[in-house]
């Protein structure tokens, strides 16, 4: 199909010009799609499936997190250390080469305008030719497959899409006040659905070459592509939630509050997203059975209730 001019008409332009515009737009979208799929096909990726994590002072959870995801089939980890008191690079070296050789640590200390999204987009840009798929999750989140497959095998079902959105299962504190050294998966077993909106949220694995930009829960795909849920229903660009949450094949176990003691530590660490600030009272929205722990917090103190 040949067009004399690449002029785009919209709105109340003559119908034949609008029709021509739509044909031209679709042609360009399809050309872009084929170009990017060919680029992926001809790229010699070092890894098929990796995970990006930004972390600060959470080394106590990191070994369990790493070993769990290695068991799920993750081949490599890009860990952005946002100024941890014990440098992440030093900590992972203590875990032995069978783990440390799977990790690239990026120093992300210093001042950032919007720390976590900036780290995600740095990872997307820096490693898009190194790993075909990159998952963007946190240290309190563990991806879990229910199909008996490993992640590389599972993700092959979604290679026609820019990304896969996996829904959260949010766990409460199980009535625990104090922190313990037992694994998270043993300590917290009760899924909480108190927040209907949060129960539709999740995180994504993306084909990095098919994404223009990342935010924390999703991003913006290249033209001709979209992010989908496990049933291949489209998720709109940048959307934090899916229309109908399902976790039949894959989910993200989200240990958001942990114990009350750990929740206070979490607030102290701060948040890597400039537009969001954790609130003290969130703990009791999720853990309604633990109201007896609530303190009298006044304006001006470190907790924002």
């Amino acid at each position: 199909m040949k067009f004399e001019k690449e002029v785009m008409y919209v709105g109340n332009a003559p119908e034949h010009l609008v029709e021509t515009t739509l044909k031209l737009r679709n042609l360009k979208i399809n050309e872009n799609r084929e170009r990017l799929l060919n680029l992926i096909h001809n790229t010699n990726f070092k890894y098929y499936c990796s995970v990006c994590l930004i972390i600060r002072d959470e080394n106590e959870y990191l070994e369990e997190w790493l070993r769990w995801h290695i068991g799920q089939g993750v081949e490599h980890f890009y860990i952005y250390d946002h100024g941890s008191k014990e440098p992440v690079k030093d900590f992972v070296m203590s875990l032995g080469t069978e783990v440390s050789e799977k990790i690239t640590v990026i120093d992300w200390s210093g001042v950032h305008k919007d720390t976590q999204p900036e780290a995600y987009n740095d990872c997307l840009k820096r490693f898009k030719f190194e790993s075909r798929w990159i998952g963007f999750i946190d240290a309190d989140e563990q991806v879990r497959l229910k199909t008996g497959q490993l992640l590389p095998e599972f993700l092959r079902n979604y290679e026609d899409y820019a990304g896969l959105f996996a829904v959260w299962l949010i766990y409460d504190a199980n009535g625990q006040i104090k922190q313990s050294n037992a694994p998270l998966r043993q300590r917290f077993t009760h899924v909480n659905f108190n927040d209907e909106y949060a129960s539709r949220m999740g995180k994504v694995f993306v084909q990095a070459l098919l994404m223009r930009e990342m935010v924390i829960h999703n991003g913006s795909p290249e033209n001709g592509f979209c992010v989908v849920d496990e049933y291949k229903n489209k998720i709109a660009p940048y959307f934090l939630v899916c229309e109908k949450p399902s976790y039949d094949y894959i989910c993200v176990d989200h240990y958001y509050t942990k114990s009350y003691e750990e929740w206070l530590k979490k607030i102290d660490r701060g948040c890597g997203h400039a537009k969001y600030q954790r609130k003290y009272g969130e703990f009791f929205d999720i853990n309604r059975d633990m109201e007896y722990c609530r303190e009298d917090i006044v304006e001006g103190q470190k907790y924002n209730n």
Side-chain angles (χ1 to χ4, degrees), residues 32-273:
N32 187 61
R33 179 179 174 84
E34 289 303 313
R35 177 183 66 83
L36 289 172
L37 287 176
N38 285 332
L39 177 61
I40 286 179
H41 180 75
N42 293 314
T43 298
N44 184 24
F45 294 101
K46 187 175 182 179
Y47 311 111
Y48 184 81
C49 175
S50 301
V51 163
C52 175
L53 166 72
I54 182 168
I55 189 173
R56 180 168 64 186
D57 296 331
E58 295 177 86
N59 289 344
E60 59 192 322
Y61 308 110
L62 188 54
E63 181 175 4
E64 177 187 348
W65 186 91
L66 286 165
R67 294 190 185 278
W68 171 263
H69 288 104
I70 291 171
Q72 297 291 300
V74 175
E75 299 163 288
H76 200 75
F77 302 89
Y78 304 109
I79 302 182
Y80 284 69
D81 184 0
H82 184 212
S84 296
K85 295 172 185 175
E86 178 189 3
V88 172
K89 191 171 185 178
D90 294 344
F91 177 78
V92 298
M93 292 304 295
S94 72
L95 302 179
T97 56
E98 75 280 1
V99 174
S100 62
E101 67 186 4
K102 300 178 184 294
I103 300 169
T104 299
V105 177
I106 300 93
D107 182 2
W108 206 244
S109 56
V111 178
H112 300 273
K113 184 177 180 181
D114 203 353
T115 307
Q116 189 169 1
E118 288 177 22
Y120 281 7
N121 283 289
D122 181 83
C123 184
L124 191 72
K125 181 179 180 180
R126 191 185 301 199
F127 300 112
K128 62 184 178 181
F129 288 103
E130 183 168 283
S131 185
R132 177 163 181 170
W133 288 87
I134 303 177
F136 293 87
I137 59 176
D138 294 333
D140 60 359
E141 298 170 338
Q142 297 182 10
V143 177
R144 176 163 54 96
L145 282 170
K146 301 181 177 183
T147 62
Q149 299 168 293
L150 295 178
L151 272 164
E153 181 184 1
F154 181 76
L155 289 172
R156 288 190 176 91
N157 298 308
Y158 299 89
E159 289 183 348
D160 290 337
Y161 304 96
L164 170 65
F165 186 91
V167 178
W168 275 346
L169 285 177
I170 301 174
Y171 292 77
D172 62 26
N174 271 68
Q176 297 174 49
I177 299 175
K178 294 293 185 180
Q179 181 174 352
S180 75
N181 294 325
L184 295 182
R185 307 194 71 84
Q186 292 180 17
R187 294 169 57 201
F188 308 109
T189 57
H190 183 254
V191 177
N192 188 292
F193 295 99
N194 286 346
D195 190 326
E196 182 179 349
Y197 185 81
S199 296
R200 294 163 51 207
M201 296 175 71
K203 290 294 183 70
V204 292
F205 276 81
V206 303
Q207 297 195 78
L209 283 172
L210 303 184
M211 294 294 289
R212 284 192 297 240
E213 183 182 26
M214 291 299 303
V215 288
I216 291 180
H217 295 265
N218 195 353
S220 176
E222 294 283 356
N223 285 335
F225 295 93
C226 62
V227 173
V228 296
D229 66 13
E230 62 178 19
Y231 282 106
K232 301 182 179 178
N233 299 307
K234 184 178 178 180
I235 309 290
Y238 299 117
F239 263 44
L240 310 182
V241 299
C242 60
E243 185 67 26
K244 295 181 180 179
S246 63
Y247 10 77
D248 296 329
Y249 307 141
I250 187 172
C251 66
V252 177
D253 291 325
H254 190 193
Y255 302 97
Y256 183 55
T257 68
K258 304 185 185 74
S259 67
Y260 178 71
E261 180 181 29
E262 289 163 286
W263 177 250
L264 299 185
K265 290 180 180 179
K266 190 170 190 172
I267 294 175
D268 279 342
R269 283 198 303 271
C271 182
H273 188 11

